[in-house]
Amino acid sequence: MNIHEYQAKEVLKSYGVAIQEGIVADTPEAALEAAKKLNAETGTSWYVIKAQIHAGGRGKGKIQSTGSNGVVLARGLDEVMEKAKNILGGTLVTHQTGPEGKKVNKILIAQDVYYPGASEPKEYYLSILLDRAKGCNVIMASTEGGMDIEEVAENHPEKIIKEWIDPKVGLQGFQARKLAFKLGLEGTAFKGMVKFITSLYEAYIATDSSQFEINPVLKTSDDKILAVDAKVNLDDNALFKHKHLAILRDFEEEDPLEVEADKYGLNYVKLDGNVGCMVNGAGLAMATMDMIKLSGGEPANFLDVGGGANATTVEAGFRIILQDPNVKAILINVFGGIVRCDRIANGVVEAYKTIGDIKVPIIVRLQGTNAEEGAKIIDESGLKVSSAITLKEAAEKVKAAILVPSEK
Amino acid sequence: MSVLVNKNSKVIVQGFTGSEGSFHAQQMIEYGTNVVGGVTPGKGGSTHLEKPVFNSVEEAVQKTGADTSIIFVPPAFAADAIMEAADAGIKVVIAITEGIPVADMMKAKPYIKERGTILIGPNCPGVITPGEAKVGIMPGFVFKPGRIGIVSKSGTLTYEAADQVTKAGLGISTAIGIGGDPIIGTSTKEAVEMLMNDPETDAIVMIGEIGGNYEAEAAIWVRENGNRKPVVGFIAGKTAPAGRRMGHAGAIIGGADDTADAKIRILKANGILVAESPAEIGSVMAKAMGIEA
């Protein structure tokens, strides 16, 4: 589960990680109040206004209606409201949001931490994630802060430093020191970085996170180390342990159809294609999407109805897929094991009748337990539903359904 | 011979009296698997499905000589159940449970390795040696006895492959569902290695998906060991978008190396026979075995 930057920073701060201070706001007036409060608390007189959406590239991204960037600097209290207005309520398009962008409902008013001083401010990169091959966590650090880390990995792999953490003993002091030394730090900044990494790892473990990305980590001109941005991704499977984190979920950031599917225990991911699909099992669902593509279509979604597929889940699946106007055909692909195909077939017929007017052709491929009986139920239903037993047959029927829609 | 489980396996069910555990234990018994009992802490001394219930795995091992365990314990307690089985000396632990926190598995995996226990899963359909033992949740009738081994991250896709292989006139030696989580006990390579060394397996179907590097690692191992048996590969998720989780907790594209296309390239470069469509797994295998499908 992803959370917003302002939430991530609050979580990190509660574990002693130094952060760029800020206050979240949802109106220009609240933004001004936040700025005044920040001024009183931190002495900052410049303010960074940051759009809060679940996507990166906000600084370079643009608000469609106003042309404002997603992250802007207000050089004084008098600029705060105007600049906040240009972001709030707008749609922010970044290289990660896709062309449709994301609506900005909240902004973070943050202190300016790039103030001049004894030394130059410098940005670093830090992340913690699971190394699947090694089965343990890895801390990655780089002197190339503020940059896209994939690019750094591609062009300058030598500039990425890694430290693997033994799950038995956790992060050791020498490892944090090694990272800080390799980043070229010394004196106060070195000590600050060691403390930063140590508390960051503590927060990662305590929250059961699956990824932290702090980009940039800033060394200020007076040698403080703090998080200027924070991306926190929590392990969905561990949320039951952390009720206070589970409530940070922002449904507005998710596709409404995905939220609805979730209520029925369906695993749905919306895609851009023209053939909807409903499948039991995640691997078979992905394979079915691939087969749709091989048949000349494009998958409109991923939808795993899980092991306990029945009439209710099939109907919910239908309704969700049919809400997508791009869908020109639907392929239901169920390999009946414990789930019997005749039951699924009855579920499909029932759901079809309940929903009523379904305009797109439906192909039901049933294989496994009672497959023949299932196909018979579909064929004898009198509905605009065709059956298939083998995957090959199903693929051919999908091809026919999308190639000659005029004949339908 | 086969691998991991056979007619001599003495199986206990952890989470025996729960609804999932009961249902699938019953199915396994009907299949002919030698289920010798189950474990549900607090219900020791009772009888369930005409088999004894024990309070701990240790006790179950002492009283029944069990060497294999299948786990249906809920996610919050599943890592604990895995470690308990290893501590009690169980040789093969098969964890069906989906949704175990990653941090729990990170501790459980090295724990069982140190004790020499093999873990299959979690988040897997289990292991079946057709005609001998089913230690899992798969529909047994789909798997006909034969000499083709299957290794797969996915449940229903495994059934699909087994069905196609069977309909092509071949059969299954052992099918191993390794699971779809980011941390699993047995990797694709380790499972392929078991089947490669099994005298009763002539060829292998290897089914993977986006995310991680297990399929690439297995393909490289197959080539380095001389491509001793034909391996047919299928990778699901060519059409999956980057950065989105596709059902399985581990099915997420994290970079350029774990896309389906990248994996397929590596498979081909290492002599794996790749089925481009999931509908062709059976026919590609039939061709490799010299049967015209």
Side-chain angles (χ1 to χ4, degrees):
Chain A
M1 184 183 95
N2 283 321
I3 58 176
H4 286 295
E5 176 195 356
Y6 75 92
Q7 298 167 323
K9 282 178 168 171
E10 277 167 25
V11 170
L12 294 184
K13 192 180 173 183
S14 71
Y15 289 95
V17 180
I19 57 160
Q20 172 197 40
E21 295 291 339
I23 299 166
V24 71
D26 52 8
T27 64
E29 292 75 22
L32 181 61
E33 282 312 304
K36 283 180 183 163
K37 200 165 168 229
L38 264 186
N39 173 263
E41 283 172 6
T42 69
T44 187
S45 54
W46 287 7
Y47 311 90
V48 189
I49 301 174
K50 309 170 97 174
Q52 298 297 292
I53 58 166
H54 287 185
R58 294 170 298 163
K60 283 183 190 142
K62 282 214 156 64
I63 300 285
Q64 272 176 337
S65 52
T66 63
S68 166
N69 289 115
V71 177
V72 297
L73 181 66
R75 290 181 173 81
L77 284 171
D78 54 325
E79 288 183 19
V80 172
M81 275 181 76
E82 187 62 26
K83 296 209 162 169
K85 230 181 257 174
N86 286 335
I87 295 176
L88 269 172
T91 300
L92 180 58
V93 179
T94 80
H95 69 97
Q96 281 187 13
T97 62
E100 69 278 10
K102 280 200 159 167
K103 191 168 176 232
V104 183
N105 295 312
K106 287 192 171 97
I107 49 175
L108 177 64
I109 316 300
Q111 67 175 142
D112 168 38
V113 284
Y114 290 80
Y115 46 82
S119 69
E120 276 296 304
K122 168 141 182 59
E123 293 180 331
Y124 298 89
Y125 171 94
L126 266 180
S127 66
I128 309 175
L129 67 159
L130 169 69
D131 182 326
R132 289 172 62 162
K134 289 196 162 66
C136 68
N137 293 321
V138 58
I139 301 181
M140 300 209 300
S142 176
T143 50
E144 307 304 288
M147 308 252 301
D148 185 358
I149 198 66
E150 273 84 29
E151 260 172 54
V152 179
E154 185 77 27
N155 303 324
H156 295 284
E158 76 286 355
K159 288 190 173 167
I160 294 178
I161 311 153
K162 291 182 183 177
E163 200 62 42
W164 284 271
I165 314 301
D166 184 335
K168 258 189 176 167
V169 295
L171 174 72
Q172 296 301 297
F174 77 90
Q175 294 182 295
R177 293 196 298 274
K178 236 161 96 178
L179 286 163
F181 275 127
K182 284 184 183 172
L183 289 173
L185 293 163
E186 50 188 39
T188 312
F190 169 82
K191 281 185 195 147
M193 185 60 89
V194 170
K195 163 125 193 352
F196 188 90
I197 293 169
T198 308
S199 40
L200 193 70
Y201 193 77
E202 193 191 323
Y204 187 85
I205 294 300
T207 54
D208 271 297
S209 283
S210 49
Q211 193 176 358
F212 273 7
E213 188 175 49
I214 315 298
N215 190 20
V217 177
L218 184 73
K219 181 196 78 66
T220 61
S221 61
D222 51 356
D223 285 347
K224 289 190 185 104
I225 302 291
L226 46 86
V228 176
D229 195 1
K231 194 171 126 190
V232 164
N233 199 303
L234 304 161
D235 179 2
D236 294 322
N237 288 346
L239 283 175
F240 71 88
K241 296 185 200 169
H242 309 284
K243 299 274 184 291
H244 67 294
L245 296 174
I247 56 167
L248 298 180
R249 182 170 172 187
D250 183 353
F251 290 96
E252 299 224 8
E253 284 290 325
E254 298 172 34
D255 187 286
L257 287 180
E258 293 182 11
V259 174
E260 199 187 324
D262 198 33
K263 284 185 202 151
Y264 292 98
L266 302 175
N267 212 324
Y268 172 86
V269 177
K270 191 174 173 323
L271 303 168
D272 301 328
N274 55 0
V275 181
C277 57
M278 194 182 334
V279 188
N280 68 331
L284 189 60
M286 274 186 276
T288 304
M289 286 161 47
D290 297 345
M291 206 185 65
I292 288 169
K293 171 118 182 169
L294 287 168
S295 304
E298 287 287 341
N301 63 275
F302 167 93
L303 175 55
D304 173 13
V305 295
N310 56 39
T312 317
T313 49
V314 169
E315 187 185 328
F318 259 136
R319 288 190 186 279
I320 286 158
I321 293 173
L322 287 167
Q323 282 182 51
D324 179 351
N326 297 328
V327 169
K328 299 288 179 280
I330 298 174
L331 170 61
I332 298 175
N333 185 11
V334 170
F335 200 107
I338 307 308
V339 183
R340 283 164 39 191
C341 291
D342 51 333
R343 288 225 180 125
I344 297 286
N346 279 323
V348 170
V349 173
E350 245 174 78
Y352 198 104
K353 286 181 177 159
T354 315
I355 297 172
D357 190 26
I358 297 180
K359 294 206 169 53
V360 299
I362 292 169
I363 299 128
V364 184
R365 184 271 178 154
L366 298 169
Q367 180 62 284
T369 315
N370 296 359
E372 306 286 339
E373 290 90 329
K376 205 170 155 211
I377 290 166
I378 296 292
D379 292 340
E380 290 174 357
S381 68
L383 302 171
K384 210 171 61 184
V385 182
S386 56
S387 71
I389 298 273
T390 67
L391 259 192
K392 214 171 166 188
E393 251 181 289
E396 278 155 15
K397 291 196 170 178
V398 166
K399 202 179 231 173
I402 48 176
L403 282 183
V404 282
S406 56
E407 284 175 22
K408 294 280 175 272
Chain B
M1 259 297 288
S2 64
V3 300
L4 292 166
V5 301
N6 59 34
K7 58 181 184 299
N8 300 319
S9 300
K10 288 185 177 174
V11 182
I12 54 160
V13 180
Q14 289 177 259
F16 191 33
T17 56
S19 62
E20 290 282 304
S22 295
F23 179 79
H24 290 290
Q26 182 67 45
Q27 298 269 324
M28 288 191 285
I29 293 167
E30 281 169 21
Y31 188 83
T33 307
N34 185 17
V35 175
V36 296
V39 175
T40 297
K43 291 195 179 168
S46 59
T47 304
H48 183 62
L49 307 178
E50 297 170 16
K51 308 283 178 191
V53 182
F54 302 97
N55 279 325
S56 69
V57 180
E58 183 182 38
E59 194 190 344
V61 169
Q62 277 168 4
K63 303 254 170 78
T64 67
D67 52 16
T68 305
S69 162
I70 181 165
I71 293 177
F72 292 100
V73 172
F77 315 105
D80 177 69
I82 291 169
M83 292 189 279
E84 183 185 353
D87 181 63
I90 293 282
K91 293 281 164 277
V92 177
V93 177
I94 295 167
I96 306 299
T97 310
E98 176 174 6
I100 304 177
V102 170
D104 291 4
M105 279 312 298
M106 210 179 279
K107 295 196 183 97
K109 191 173 171 176
Y111 183 92
I112 60 140
K113 272 230 156 103
E114 280 169 17
R115 284 157 183 79
T117 298
I118 294 175
L119 171 68
I120 305 291
N123 190 10
C124 80
V127 180
I128 184 167
T129 297
E132 295 200 25
K134 168 181 125 156
V135 188
I137 59 172
M138 61 288 274
F141 75 93
V142 176
F143 298 80
K144 299 281 186 288
R147 302 183 63 87
I148 309 295
I150 300 181
V151 176
S152 170
K153 275 185 182 172
S154 148
T156 43
L157 200 48
T158 310
Y159 315 160
E160 179 71 47
D163 186 58
Q164 287 182 29
V165 165
T166 302
K167 288 190 174 136
L170 298 158
I172 310 302
S173 54
T174 300
I176 310 168
I178 60 169
D181 269 3
I183 297 185
I184 49 178
T186 299
S187 68
T188 310
K189 187 211 96 179
E190 289 163 336
V192 166
E193 189 173 347
M194 288 175 199
L195 292 168
M196 201 61 94
N197 294 331
D198 172 32
E200 296 190 349
T201 298
D202 293 338
I204 300 163
V205 176
M206 178 173 107
I207 297 170
E209 62 190 24
I210 54 166
N213 70 337
Y214 277 177
E215 297 84 358
E217 185 194 42
I220 292 164
W221 182 88
V222 167
R223 184 182 47 80
E224 284 176 353
N225 285 271
N227 296 76
R228 283 182 279 142
K229 296 172 185 175
V231 180
V232 171
F234 174 75
I235 305 288
K238 264 190 196 177
T239 51
R244 296 297 311 265
R245 212 168 286 284
M246 294 284 131
H248 288 152
I252 180 166
I253 296 171
D257 297 334
D258 61 355
T259 64
D261 286 336
K263 290 190 183 195
I264 288 169
R265 257 198 315 279
I266 296 170
L267 260 55
K268 284 182 176 166
N270 287 284
I272 309 294
L273 308 161
V274 174
E276 298 288 343
S277 158
E280 292 168 2
I281 297 169
S283 57
V284 174
M285 179 53 87
K287 212 177 145 198
M289 300 304 288
I291 302 171
E292 280 312 314

